[in-house]
Amino acid sequence: MSLYFFRISQGRYSGAADQPYEFANRESAWNELTAVCSDLIGGISKTLQQGAEWQMELLDEAKQPVFRIRLVSESVS
């Protein structure tokens, strides 16, 4: 079992969980990250401003990123 931390960033604001989560393997960790993101993303997207970015990362025990999911809003014209 490995320990992981969640970190959410929006713009210049970022915060990581103080308490680690334990997952059996990387696949389990990825599945949990996507499940948590799916719970949050609807509310986040309703308030996301143009040109903004929101991201959630799963960090390893050394607090280095393992996985990242990003939501970016941008004008293309």
Side-chain angles (χ1 to χ4, degrees):
M1 297 286 241
S2 297
L3 298 178
Y4 295 90
F5 298 86
F6 288 97
R7 176 168 58 197
I8 295 177
S9 303
Q10 185 166 355
R12 56 183 187 205
Y13 302 103
S14 178
D18 293 329
Q19 297 297 319
Y21 293 83
E22 192 171 38
F23 300 109
N25 53 45
R26 286 173 63 97
E27 183 178 350
S28 297
W30 171 255
N31 290 337
E32 185 64 18
L33 177 64
T34 58
V36 171
C37 277
S38 71
D39 290 343
L40 297 175
I41 206 75
I44 298 298
S45 64
K46 290 178 186 177
T47 61
L48 196 66
Q49 301 294 315
Q50 288 184 29
E53 179 179 339
W54 176 91
Q55 67 181 18
M56 180 176 242
E57 295 176 304
L58 197 63
L59 313 175
D60 63 15
E61 292 181 53
K63 297 209 174 172
Q64 296 301 308
V66 176
F67 299 116
R68 178 181 300 130
I69 295 176
R70 296 174 49 209
L71 175 62
V72 178
S73 64
E74 57 190 6
S75 176
V76 293
S77 59

